[in-house]
Coordinates of all heavy atoms in Angstrom, one line a residue:
M1 N -32.6 6.8 27.3 CA -32.7 5.4 26.9 C -32.8 5.3 25.4 O -33.5 6.1 24.8 CB -33.9 4.8 27.6 CG -34.0 3.3 27.4 SD -35.4 2.7 28.4 CE -36.5 2.2 27.1
A2 N -32.2 4.3 24.8 CA -32.2 4.1 23.4 C -33.6 3.6 22.9 O -34.3 2.9 23.6 CB -31.2 3.1 23.0
A3 N -34.0 4.1 21.7 CA -35.3 3.7 21.2 C -35.3 2.3 20.7 O -34.4 1.9 19.9 CB -35.7 4.7 20.1
K4 N -36.3 1.5 21.1 CA -36.3 0.1 20.7 C -37.1 0.0 19.4 O -36.8 -1.0 18.7 CB -36.9 -0.8 21.8 CG -36.0 -0.8 23.0 CD -36.4 -1.9 24.0 CE -35.4 -1.9 25.2 NZ -35.6 -3.1 26.0
L5 N -38.1 0.9 19.2 CA -38.9 0.8 18.0 C -38.6 2.1 17.2 O -38.6 3.2 17.8 CB -40.4 0.7 18.3 CG -40.8 -0.6 19.0 CD1 -42.2 -0.5 19.4 CD2 -40.5 -1.8 18.1
K6 N -38.4 2.0 15.9 CA -38.1 3.2 15.1 C -39.0 3.2 13.9 O -39.7 2.2 13.5 CB -36.6 3.1 14.6 CG -35.6 3.2 15.7 CD -34.2 3.1 15.2 CE -33.2 3.2 16.3 NZ -31.9 3.2 15.9
T7 N -39.0 4.3 13.2 CA -39.8 4.4 11.9 C -39.3 3.4 10.9 O -38.1 3.2 10.7 CB -39.7 5.8 11.4 OG1 -40.1 6.8 12.4 CG2 -40.5 6.1 10.1
G8 N -40.3 2.7 10.3 CA -40.0 1.7 9.2 C -39.9 0.3 9.8 O -39.9 -0.6 9.0
D9 N -40.0 0.1 11.1 CA -40.0 -1.2 11.7 C -41.3 -1.9 11.4 O -42.4 -1.3 11.4 CB -39.8 -1.2 13.2 CG -38.3 -0.9 13.6 OD1 -37.4 -1.0 12.7 OD2 -38.1 -0.5 14.7
K10 N -41.3 -3.2 11.2 CA -42.5 -4.0 11.0 C -42.9 -4.5 12.5 O -42.0 -5.1 13.1 CB -42.3 -5.2 10.1 CG -41.8 -4.8 8.7 CD -42.8 -5.1 7.7 CE -42.4 -4.9 6.3 NZ -42.6 -3.6 5.8
V11 N -44.1 -4.2 12.9 CA -44.5 -4.6 14.3 C -45.8 -5.4 14.3 O -46.5 -5.4 13.3 CB -44.7 -3.3 15.1 CG1 -43.3 -2.6 15.3 CG2 -45.7 -2.3 14.5
V12 N -46.1 -6.0 15.4 CA -47.3 -6.7 15.7 C -47.9 -6.1 16.9 O -47.3 -5.8 17.9 CB -47.0 -8.2 16.0 CG1 -48.3 -9.0 16.3 CG2 -46.2 -8.8 14.9
V13 N -49.2 -5.8 16.8 CA -50.0 -5.3 18.0 C -50.3 -6.4 18.9 O -50.9 -7.4 18.6 CB -51.3 -4.6 17.5 CG1 -52.1 -4.0 18.6 CG2 -51.0 -3.5 16.5
M14 N -49.9 -6.2 20.2 CA -50.1 -7.3 21.2 C -51.3 -7.1 22.1 O -51.7 -8.0 22.8 CB -48.8 -7.3 22.1 CG -47.6 -7.6 21.3 SD -47.6 -9.1 20.3 CE -47.7 -10.3 21.6
A15 N -51.9 -5.8 22.2 CA -53.0 -5.6 23.1 C -53.9 -4.5 22.4 O -53.5 -3.7 21.6 CB -52.5 -5.1 24.4
G16 N -55.2 -4.6 22.9 CA -56.1 -3.6 22.4 C -57.1 -4.1 21.3 O -57.1 -5.3 21.0
K17 N -57.8 -3.2 20.7 CA -58.9 -3.6 19.8 C -58.3 -4.2 18.5 O -58.9 -4.9 17.8 CB -59.8 -2.4 19.5 CG -59.1 -1.3 18.7 CD -60.1 -0.2 18.3 CE -59.4 0.8 17.5 NZ -60.3 1.8 17.0
D18 N -57.0 -3.8 18.2 CA -56.4 -4.3 17.0 C -55.4 -5.4 17.2 O -54.4 -5.6 16.5 CB -55.7 -3.1 16.3 CG -56.7 -2.1 15.7 OD1 -57.7 -2.5 15.2 OD2 -56.4 -0.9 15.9
K19 N -55.5 -6.1 18.3 CA -54.6 -7.2 18.7 C -54.4 -8.2 17.6 O -55.4 -8.6 16.9 CB -55.1 -7.9 19.9 CG -54.2 -9.0 20.5 CD -54.8 -9.6 21.7 CE -53.9 -10.7 22.2 NZ -54.4 -11.3 23.5
G20 N -53.1 -8.5 17.3 CA -52.8 -9.5 16.2 C -52.6 -8.8 14.9 O -52.0 -9.5 14.0
K21 N -52.9 -7.6 14.7 CA -52.7 -6.9 13.4 C -51.2 -6.6 13.3 O -50.5 -6.3 14.2 CB -53.5 -5.6 13.3 CG -55.0 -5.8 13.0 CD -55.7 -4.6 12.7 CE -57.1 -4.8 12.4 NZ -57.8 -3.5 12.2
R22 N -50.8 -6.5 12.0 CA -49.4 -6.2 11.7 C -49.3 -5.0 10.8 O -50.2 -4.7 10.1 CB -48.7 -7.4 11.0 CG -48.6 -8.6 11.8 CD -48.3 -9.9 11.0 NE -48.3 -11.0 11.8 CZ -47.2 -11.5 12.4 NH1 -46.1 -11.0 12.3 NH2 -47.4 -12.6 13.2
G23 N -48.2 -4.2 10.9 CA -48.1 -3.0 10.1 C -46.7 -2.5 10.3 O -45.9 -3.0 11.0
E24 N -46.5 -1.4 9.5 CA -45.2 -0.7 9.6 C -45.3 0.6 10.3 O -46.3 1.4 10.1 CB -44.7 -0.5 8.1 CG -43.3 0.1 8.0 CD -42.8 0.1 6.6 OE1 -43.1 -0.8 5.8 OE2 -42.1 1.1 6.3
I25 N -44.3 1.0 11.1 CA -44.4 2.2 11.9 C -44.1 3.4 10.9 O -43.1 3.3 10.2 CB -43.4 2.2 13.0 CG1 -43.7 1.2 14.1 CG2 -43.3 3.6 13.7 CD1 -42.8 1.1 15.2
T26 N -45.1 4.4 10.9 CA -44.8 5.5 10.0 C -44.2 6.7 10.8 O -43.5 7.5 10.2 CB -46.2 5.9 9.4 OG1 -47.1 6.2 10.4 CG2 -46.7 4.9 8.4
S27 N -44.5 6.8 12.1 CA -43.9 7.8 12.9 C -43.9 7.4 14.4 O -44.8 6.6 14.8 CB -44.6 9.2 12.7 OG -45.9 9.1 13.3
V28 N -42.9 7.9 15.1 CA -42.8 7.6 16.5 C -42.6 8.9 17.3 O -41.9 9.8 16.9 CB -41.5 6.7 16.8 CG1 -41.4 6.4 18.2 CG2 -41.6 5.4 15.9
N29 N -43.3 9.0 18.5 CA -43.2 10.1 19.4 C -42.7 9.5 20.7 O -43.5 9.1 21.6 CB -44.5 10.8 19.6 CG -44.3 12.1 20.4 OD1 -43.4 12.3 21.0 ND2 -45.4 12.9 20.3
P30 N -41.3 9.4 20.9 CA -40.8 8.7 22.1 C -41.2 9.5 23.4 O -41.3 8.9 24.5 CB -39.3 8.7 21.9 CG -39.0 9.6 20.8 CD -40.3 9.8 20.0
K31 N -41.3 10.8 23.3 CA -41.7 11.6 24.5 C -43.0 11.2 25.1 O -43.2 11.1 26.3 CB -41.7 13.1 24.1 CG -41.5 14.0 25.3 CD -41.3 15.4 24.8 CE -40.1 16.0 25.5 NZ -39.8 17.4 25.0
E32 N -44.0 11.0 24.2 CA -45.3 10.5 24.6 C -45.4 9.0 24.7 O -46.4 8.5 25.2 CB -46.4 11.0 23.7 CG -46.5 12.6 23.7 CD -47.6 13.0 22.8 OE1 -48.4 12.2 22.3 OE2 -47.7 14.3 22.5
G33 N -44.4 8.3 24.2 CA -44.5 6.8 24.2 C -45.5 6.2 23.3 O -46.2 5.2 23.6
R34 N -45.7 6.9 22.1 CA -46.7 6.4 21.2 C -46.1 6.4 19.7 O -45.1 7.0 19.4 CB -47.9 7.4 21.2 CG -48.6 7.4 22.6 CD -49.7 8.3 22.6 NE -51.0 7.8 22.2 CZ -51.7 6.9 22.8 NH1 -51.2 6.4 24.0 NH2 -52.8 6.4 22.3
A35 N -46.8 5.6 18.9 CA -46.3 5.5 17.5 C -47.6 5.3 16.6 O -48.6 4.9 17.0 CB -45.4 4.3 17.3
V36 N -47.4 5.8 15.4 CA -48.5 5.6 14.4 C -48.1 4.4 13.4 O -47.0 4.4 12.9 CB -48.7 6.9 13.5 CG1 -49.7 6.6 12.4 CG2 -49.1 8.0 14.4
V37 N -49.0 3.4 13.4 CA -48.7 2.2 12.6 C -49.7 2.2 11.4 O -50.9 2.4 11.6 CB -48.9 0.9 13.5 CG1 -48.6 -0.3 12.7 CG2 -48.0 1.0 14.7
Q38 N -49.2 1.8 10.3 CA -50.0 1.9 9.0 C -51.0 0.8 9.1 O -50.8 -0.4 9.4 CB -49.0 1.5 7.9 CG -49.6 1.8 6.5 CD -48.5 1.7 5.4 OE1 -47.6 0.9 5.6 NE2 -48.7 2.5 4.4
G39 N -52.3 1.2 9.0 CA -53.5 0.3 8.9 C -53.9 -0.2 10.3 O -54.8 -1.1 10.4
V40 N -53.4 0.4 11.4 CA -53.8 0.0 12.7 C -54.3 1.2 13.5 O -53.9 2.3 13.3 CB -52.5 -0.6 13.4 CG1 -52.8 -0.9 14.9 CG2 -52.0 -1.9 12.7
N41 N -55.3 0.9 14.4 CA -56.0 1.9 15.2 C -56.6 3.0 14.4 O -56.4 4.2 14.6 CB -54.9 2.5 16.2 CG -55.6 3.2 17.4 OD1 -56.7 2.9 17.7 ND2 -54.9 4.1 18.0
L42 N -57.4 2.6 13.4 CA -58.1 3.5 12.5 C -59.3 4.2 13.2 O -60.0 3.5 14.0 CB -58.6 2.8 11.3 CG -57.6 2.1 10.4 CD1 -58.2 1.3 9.3 CD2 -56.6 3.2 9.8
V43 N -59.3 5.5 13.1 CA -60.4 6.3 13.7 C -61.1 7.1 12.6 O -60.5 7.5 11.6 CB -59.9 7.2 14.8 CG1 -59.4 6.4 16.0 CG2 -58.9 8.1 14.3
K44 N -62.4 7.5 12.9 CA -63.1 8.3 11.9 C -63.0 9.8 12.4 O -63.0 10.0 13.6 CB -64.6 8.0 11.9 CG -64.9 6.6 11.6 CD -65.0 6.4 10.1 CE -65.5 5.0 9.8 NZ -65.5 4.7 8.4
R45 N -62.7 10.7 11.5 CA -62.6 12.1 11.8 C -63.5 12.9 10.9 O -63.5 12.7 9.7 CB -61.1 12.5 11.5 CG -60.8 13.9 11.6 CD -59.9 14.2 12.8 NE -59.3 15.6 12.7 CZ -60.0 16.7 13.0 NH1 -61.2 16.7 13.3 NH2 -59.4 17.8 13.0
H46 N -64.3 13.7 11.6 CA -65.2 14.6 10.8 C -64.5 15.8 10.4 O -64.0 16.6 11.2 CB -66.5 15.0 11.7 CG -67.3 13.8 12.0 ND1 -68.5 13.6 11.4 CD2 -67.1 12.7 12.8 CE1 -69.0 12.4 11.8 NE2 -68.2 11.9 12.7
Q47 N -64.3 16.0 9.1 CA -63.4 17.0 8.5 C -64.3 18.1 7.9 O -65.2 17.8 7.1 CB -62.5 16.4 7.4 CG -61.5 17.4 6.9 CD -60.4 17.7 7.9 OE1 -60.0 16.8 8.6 NE2 -60.0 18.9 8.0
R48 N -64.0 19.4 8.3 CA -64.7 20.5 7.8 C -64.2 20.8 6.4 O -63.0 20.7 6.2 CB -64.5 21.7 8.7 CG -65.3 22.9 8.3 CD -65.0 24.0 9.3 NE -65.4 23.5 10.6 CZ -66.1 24.2 11.5 NH1 -66.5 25.4 11.2 NH2 -66.4 23.7 12.7
P49 N -65.0 21.2 5.4 CA -64.5 21.5 4.1 C -63.7 22.8 4.1 O -64.0 23.7 4.8 CB -65.7 21.7 3.2 CG -66.9 21.7 4.1 CD -66.5 21.2 5.4
T50 N -62.5 22.8 3.5 CA -61.7 24.0 3.3 C -61.5 24.3 1.8 O -61.9 23.5 1.0 CB -60.3 23.8 4.0 OG1 -59.6 22.7 3.4 CG2 -60.5 23.5 5.5
Q51 N -60.7 25.3 1.5 CA -60.4 25.6 0.1 C -59.5 24.5 -0.4 O -59.5 24.3 -1.6 CB -59.8 27.0 0.0 CG -60.8 28.1 0.3 CD -60.1 29.5 0.1 OE1 -58.9 29.6 0.1 NE2 -60.9 30.5 0.0
V52 N -58.7 23.9 0.4 CA -57.8 22.9 0.0 C -58.4 21.5 -0.1 O -58.2 20.8 -1.1 CB -56.5 22.8 0.9 CG1 -55.5 21.8 0.5 CG2 -55.9 24.2 1.1
A53 N -59.1 21.1 0.9 CA -59.6 19.7 1.0 C -61.1 19.7 1.1 O -61.7 20.7 1.6 CB -59.0 19.0 2.2
A54 N -61.7 18.7 0.6 CA -63.2 18.5 0.7 C -63.6 18.0 2.1 O -62.7 17.4 2.8 CB -63.7 17.5 -0.3
G55 N -64.7 18.3 2.5 CA -65.2 17.8 3.8 C -65.7 16.4 3.8 O -65.8 15.8 2.8
G56 N -66.1 15.9 5.0 CA -66.7 14.6 5.1 C -66.1 13.9 6.2 O -65.3 14.4 7.0
I57 N -66.4 12.6 6.3 CA -65.8 11.7 7.3 C -64.6 11.0 6.7 O -64.8 10.2 5.8 CB -66.9 10.7 7.8 CG1 -68.1 11.5 8.4 CG2 -66.3 9.9 8.9 CD1 -69.2 10.6 8.8
I58 N -63.4 11.2 7.3 CA -62.2 10.6 6.8 C -61.8 9.6 7.8 O -62.0 9.7 9.0 CB -61.1 11.6 6.5 CG1 -60.7 12.4 7.7 CG2 -61.5 12.5 5.4 CD1 -59.4 13.1 7.5
T59 N -61.1 8.5 7.4 CA -60.5 7.5 8.2 C -59.0 7.7 8.3 O -58.4 7.8 7.2 CB -60.9 6.1 7.8 OG1 -62.3 6.0 7.6 CG2 -60.4 5.0 8.7
K60 N -58.4 7.7 9.5 CA -57.0 7.9 9.6 C -56.5 7.1 10.7 O -57.3 6.7 11.6 CB -56.6 9.3 9.7 CG -57.1 10.0 10.9 CD -56.7 11.5 10.9 CE -56.2 12.0 12.2 NZ -55.7 13.3 12.2
E61 N -55.1 6.9 10.8 CA -54.5 6.1 11.8 C -54.2 7.1 13.0 O -53.8 8.2 12.8 CB -53.2 5.6 11.4 CG -53.3 4.5 10.4 CD -52.8 4.9 9.0 OE1 -52.3 6.0 8.8 OE2 -52.9 4.1 8.1
A62 N -54.6 6.6 14.2 CA -54.3 7.3 15.4 C -53.1 6.7 16.1 O -52.8 5.5 15.9 CB -55.5 7.3 16.3
P63 N -52.4 7.4 16.9 CA -51.2 6.9 17.6 C -51.6 5.7 18.6 O -52.7 5.8 19.1 CB -50.6 8.1 18.4 CG -51.2 9.2 17.8 CD -52.5 8.9 17.2
I64 N -50.7 4.8 18.8 CA -50.9 3.6 19.6 C -49.8 3.6 20.6 O -48.6 4.0 20.2 CB -51.1 2.3 18.8 CG1 -51.5 1.2 19.7 CG2 -49.9 2.0 18.0 CD1 -52.0 -0.1 18.9
A65 N -50.0 3.1 21.8 CA -48.9 3.1 22.8 C -47.8 2.1 22.4 O -48.1 1.0 21.9 CB -49.5 2.7 24.2
L66 N -46.6 2.5 22.6 CA -45.4 1.7 22.3 C -45.5 0.4 23.1 O -44.9 -0.7 22.6 CB -44.1 2.4 22.5 CG -43.8 3.5 21.6 CD1 -42.5 4.3 22.0 CD2 -43.6 3.0 20.2
S67 N -46.0 0.4 24.3 CA -46.1 -0.8 25.1 C -46.9 -1.9 24.5 O -46.9 -3.1 24.9 CB -46.6 -0.4 26.5 OG -47.9 0.1 26.4
N68 N -47.8 -1.5 23.6 CA -48.7 -2.5 22.9 C -48.1 -3.0 21.7 O -48.8 -3.8 21.0 CB -50.1 -1.9 22.6 CG -50.8 -1.5 23.9 OD1 -50.6 -2.0 25.0 ND2 -51.7 -0.6 23.8
L69 N -46.9 -2.7 21.3 CA -46.3 -3.1 20.1 C -45.1 -4.0 20.4 O -44.3 -3.8 21.3 CB -45.9 -1.9 19.3 CG -47.0 -0.9 18.9 CD1 -46.3 0.3 18.2 CD2 -48.0 -1.6 18.0
M70 N -44.9 -5.0 19.5 CA -43.6 -5.8 19.5 C -43.1 -5.9 18.1 O -43.9 -6.0 17.2 CB -43.9 -7.2 20.1 CG -43.9 -7.2 21.6 SD -44.1 -8.9 22.2 CE -42.4 -9.4 22.4
I71 N -41.8 -5.8 17.9 CA -41.2 -5.9 16.6 C -41.3 -7.3 16.1 O -41.3 -8.3 16.8 CB -39.7 -5.4 16.7 CG1 -39.2 -5.0 15.3 CG2 -38.8 -6.4 17.4 CD1 -38.0 -4.1 15.3
E72 N -41.4 -7.5 14.8 CA -41.4 -8.8 14.1 C -40.0 -9.3 14.0 O -39.1 -8.6 13.6 CB -42.0 -8.7 12.7 CG -43.5 -8.7 12.6 CD -44.0 -8.7 11.2 OE1 -43.2 -8.8 10.2 OE2 -45.2 -8.7 11.0
D73 N -39.8 -10.6 14.3 CA -38.5 -11.2 14.2 C -38.2 -11.3 12.7 O -39.0 -11.7 11.9 CB -38.6 -12.6 14.8 CG -37.2 -13.2 15.0 OD1 -36.3 -13.0 14.2 OD2 -37.1 -13.9 16.0
P74 N -37.0 -10.8 12.3 CA -36.6 -10.9 10.9 C -36.6 -12.3 10.3 O -36.7 -12.5 9.1 CB -35.2 -10.2 10.8 CG -35.0 -9.6 12.1 CD -36.0 -10.2 13.1
K75 N -36.4 -13.3 11.2 CA -36.2 -14.6 10.7 C -37.6 -15.3 10.3 O -37.7 -15.8 9.2 CB -35.5 -15.5 11.7 CG -34.9 -16.7 11.2 CD -34.0 -17.4 12.3 CE -33.2 -18.5 11.7 NZ -32.3 -19.0 12.6
D76 N -38.5 -15.2 11.3 CA -39.8 -15.9 11.1 C -41.1 -15.0 11.2 O -42.1 -15.6 11.1 CB -39.9 -17.1 12.0 CG -39.9 -16.8 13.5 OD1 -39.8 -15.6 13.8 OD2 -39.9 -17.7 14.3
G77 N -40.9 -13.8 11.5 CA -42.1 -12.9 11.6 C -42.8 -12.9 12.9 O -43.8 -12.2 13.0
A78 N -42.4 -13.7 13.9 CA -43.0 -13.8 15.2 C -42.7 -12.6 16.0 O -41.6 -12.0 15.8 CB -42.6 -15.1 15.9
P79 N -43.5 -12.2 16.9 CA -43.2 -11.1 17.8 C -42.0 -11.4 18.7 O -41.9 -12.5 19.2 CB -44.5 -10.9 18.7 CG -45.5 -11.8 18.1 CD -44.8 -12.7 17.2
T80 N -41.1 -10.4 18.9 CA -39.9 -10.7 19.7 C -39.6 -9.4 20.5 O -39.9 -8.3 20.1 CB -38.7 -11.2 18.9 OG1 -37.6 -11.4 19.7 CG2 -38.4 -10.1 17.8
R81 N -38.8 -9.6 21.5 CA -38.2 -8.4 22.3 C -37.0 -8.0 21.6 O -36.4 -8.7 20.7 CB -37.9 -8.8 23.7 CG -39.2 -9.1 24.5 CD -38.9 -9.2 26.0 NE -37.8 -10.1 26.3 CZ -37.9 -11.3 26.7 NH1 -39.1 -11.9 26.9 NH2 -36.8 -12.0 27.0
V82 N -36.5 -6.8 21.9 CA -35.4 -6.1 21.3 C -34.3 -6.0 22.3 O -34.5 -5.6 23.4 CB -35.7 -4.8 20.7 CG1 -34.5 -4.1 20.1 CG2 -36.9 -4.9 19.7
G83 N -33.0 -6.4 21.8 CA -31.9 -6.2 22.7 C -30.8 -5.4 21.9 O -31.0 -5.1 20.7
F84 N -29.8 -5.0 22.6 CA -28.8 -4.2 22.0 C -27.4 -4.9 22.1 O -27.1 -5.5 23.1 CB -28.7 -2.8 22.7 CG -29.9 -1.9 22.4 CD1 -30.9 -1.9 23.3 CD2 -29.9 -1.2 21.3 CE1 -32.0 -1.2 23.0 CE2 -31.0 -0.4 21.0 CZ -32.1 -0.4 21.9
K85 N -26.6 -4.7 21.1 CA -25.2 -5.3 21.1 C -24.2 -4.2 20.6 O -24.6 -3.4 19.7 CB -25.1 -6.5 20.1 CG -25.6 -7.8 20.5 CD -25.3 -8.8 19.5 CE -26.1 -10.0 19.6 NZ -25.9 -11.0 18.5
V86 N -23.1 -4.2 21.1 CA -22.0 -3.4 20.5 C -21.1 -4.2 19.7 O -20.5 -5.2 20.3 CB -21.3 -2.6 21.7 CG1 -20.2 -1.7 21.0 CG2 -22.2 -1.7 22.4
L87 N -21.0 -4.0 18.4 CA -20.1 -4.8 17.6 C -18.6 -4.4 17.7 O -18.3 -3.4 18.4 CB -20.5 -4.6 16.1 CG -22.0 -4.9 15.8 CD1 -22.3 -4.6 14.3 CD2 -22.3 -6.4 16.1
E88 N -17.8 -5.2 17.1 CA -16.3 -5.0 17.2 C -15.9 -3.6 16.7 O -15.0 -3.0 17.2 CB -15.5 -6.1 16.5 CG -15.6 -7.4 17.1 CD -16.8 -8.2 16.5 OE1 -17.2 -8.0 15.4 OE2 -17.3 -9.1 17.2
D89 N -16.6 -3.1 15.7 CA -16.3 -1.9 15.1 C -16.9 -0.7 15.8 O -16.8 0.5 15.4 CB -16.7 -1.8 13.6 CG -18.2 -2.0 13.4 OD1 -18.9 -2.2 14.4 OD2 -18.7 -1.9 12.2
G90 N -17.5 -0.9 17.0 CA -18.0 0.1 17.8 C -19.5 0.5 17.6 O -20.0 1.4 18.4
R91 N -20.1 -0.1 16.6 CA -21.5 0.3 16.3 C -22.4 -0.4 17.3 O -22.2 -1.5 17.7 CB -21.9 -0.1 14.9 CG -21.3 0.7 13.8 CD -21.8 0.4 12.5 NE -21.6 -1.0 12.2 CZ -22.6 -1.8 11.6 NH1 -23.7 -1.3 11.3 NH2 -22.3 -3.1 11.4
K92 N -23.5 0.3 17.8 CA -24.5 -0.2 18.6 C -25.7 -0.6 17.8 O -26.2 0.2 17.1 CB -24.9 0.7 19.7 CG -25.9 0.2 20.7 CD -26.2 1.3 21.7 CE -27.2 0.8 22.7 NZ -27.5 1.9 23.7
V93 N -26.1 -1.9 17.7 CA -27.1 -2.4 16.9 C -28.2 -3.1 17.7 O -28.0 -3.6 18.8 CB -26.6 -3.3 15.8 CG1 -25.7 -2.6 14.8 CG2 -25.9 -4.5 16.4
R94 N -29.4 -3.1 17.1 CA -30.5 -3.9 17.7 C -30.5 -5.3 17.2 O -30.2 -5.5 16.1 CB -31.8 -3.2 17.4 CG -31.9 -1.8 17.9 CD -33.3 -1.1 17.6 NE -33.5 -1.0 16.2 CZ -34.7 -0.9 15.5 NH1 -35.7 -0.9 16.2 NH2 -34.7 -0.9 14.2
F95 N -30.9 -6.2 18.1 CA -31.1 -7.6 17.6 C -32.4 -8.2 18.2 O -32.9 -7.7 19.3 CB -29.9 -8.5 18.0 CG -29.7 -8.8 19.4 CD1 -30.2 -10.0 19.9 CD2 -29.1 -7.9 20.3 CE1 -30.1 -10.3 21.3 CE2 -29.0 -8.2 21.7 CZ -29.5 -9.5 22.2
A96 N -32.9 -9.2 17.6 CA -34.1 -9.9 18.0 C -33.7 -10.9 19.1 O -32.9 -11.8 18.8 CB -34.8 -10.6 16.9
K97 N -34.3 -10.8 20.3 CA -33.9 -11.7 21.4 C -34.4 -13.2 21.1 O -33.7 -14.1 21.5 CB -34.6 -11.3 22.7 CG -34.1 -10.0 23.2 CD -33.6 -10.2 24.6 CE -33.0 -8.8 25.1 NZ -32.8 -8.9 26.5
K98 N -35.4 -13.4 20.3 CA -35.9 -14.7 20.0 C -35.0 -15.5 19.1 O -34.6 -16.7 19.4 CB -37.3 -14.6 19.3 CG -38.0 -15.9 19.2 CD -39.4 -15.7 18.7 CE -40.4 -16.3 19.7 NZ -41.8 -16.2 19.4
S99 N -34.5 -14.9 18.0 CA -33.6 -15.6 17.1 C -32.2 -15.2 17.1 O -31.3 -15.9 16.6 CB -34.2 -15.5 15.7 OG -34.1 -14.1 15.3
G100 N -31.9 -14.0 17.7 CA -30.5 -13.5 17.7 C -30.2 -12.8 16.4 O -29.1 -12.3 16.2
E101 N -31.1 -12.6 15.5 CA -30.9 -11.9 14.2 C -30.7 -10.4 14.4 O -31.4 -9.9 15.3 CB -32.0 -12.2 13.2 CG -32.2 -13.6 12.7 CD -31.2 -13.9 11.6 OE1 -31.0 -13.1 10.7 OE2 -30.6 -15.0 11.6
M102 N -29.9 -9.8 13.6 CA -29.7 -8.3 13.7 C -31.0 -7.7 13.0 O -31.4 -8.1 12.0 CB -28.5 -7.9 12.9 CG -27.2 -8.4 13.5 SD -26.5 -7.3 14.5 CE -24.9 -7.7 14.4
I103 N -31.4 -6.6 13.6 CA -32.6 -5.9 13.1 C -32.1 -4.7 12.2 O -32.6 -4.6 11.1 CB -33.5 -5.3 14.3 CG1 -34.1 -6.5 15.0 CG2 -34.5 -4.4 13.7 CD1 -34.8 -6.1 16.3
D104 N -31.1 -4.0 12.7 CA -30.5 -3.0 11.8 C -29.0 -3.2 11.8 O -28.4 -3.5 12.7 CB -30.9 -1.6 12.3 CG -30.7 -1.3 13.8 OD1 -30.0 -2.1 14.4 OD2 -31.4 -0.5 14.3
G105 N -28.4 -3.0 10.6 CA -27.0 -3.1 10.4 C -26.6 -4.2 9.6 O -26.7 -5.0 8.9

């Protein structure tokens, strides 16, 4: 199945403790169905000091389920579903179902 969400997409969180937050996808793991979104699902991690990095409590983004994310419509920024079209030149592109705008391409 083709990936509906990719790295670099602007998304809105639809469910969970960060519902309503917006961010950009920094990495996607389609096998696990999860993605890391910038500034969303922040967790505290107790880091042991090493020769490279100092120790302490650091805050970092944890992966969030893809089912809890919706892409932002390029036209108005509202959450929308993603569809696929095959153009005349043979390229398969994603489009926003709400407005019909192309997402990539």
Side-chain angles (χ1 to χ4, degrees):
M1 190 172 108
K4 294 190 176 192
L5 297 174
K6 297 181 178 179
T7 303
D9 286 345
K10 303 244 187 272
V11 293
V12 181
V13 179
M14 301 305 293
K17 66 176 185 174
D18 293 318
K19 181 177 179 177
K21 287 189 179 177
R22 296 168 184 265
E24 187 174 322
I25 295 179
T26 55
S27 69
V28 179
N29 187 344
K31 202 172 230 179
E32 292 181 14
R34 300 179 84 74
V36 177
V37 181
Q38 196 172 29
V40 174
N41 199 21
L42 297 174
V43 294
K44 301 273 190 190
R45 171 113 165 76
H46 294 255
Q47 186 71 40
R48 181 178 308 226
T50 62
Q51 290 182 343
V52 180
I57 301 172
I58 60 167
T59 305
K60 64 184 224 173
E61 292 111 1
I64 188 168
L66 289 174
S67 62
N68 294 338
L69 302 174
M70 282 183 90
I71 198 160
E72 278 187 4
D73 195 322
K75 196 170 194 176
D76 60 1
T80 182
R81 294 193 309 262
V82 177
F84 292 95
K85 283 185 196 175
V86 178
L87 301 177
E88 294 89 28
D89 60 357
R91 288 187 303 135
K92 185 177 178 182
V93 294
R94 299 179 299 158
F95 73 97
K97 291 233 179 170
K98 190 171 238 181
S99 66
E101 292 280 319
M102 297 265 209
I103 294 171
D104 42 26

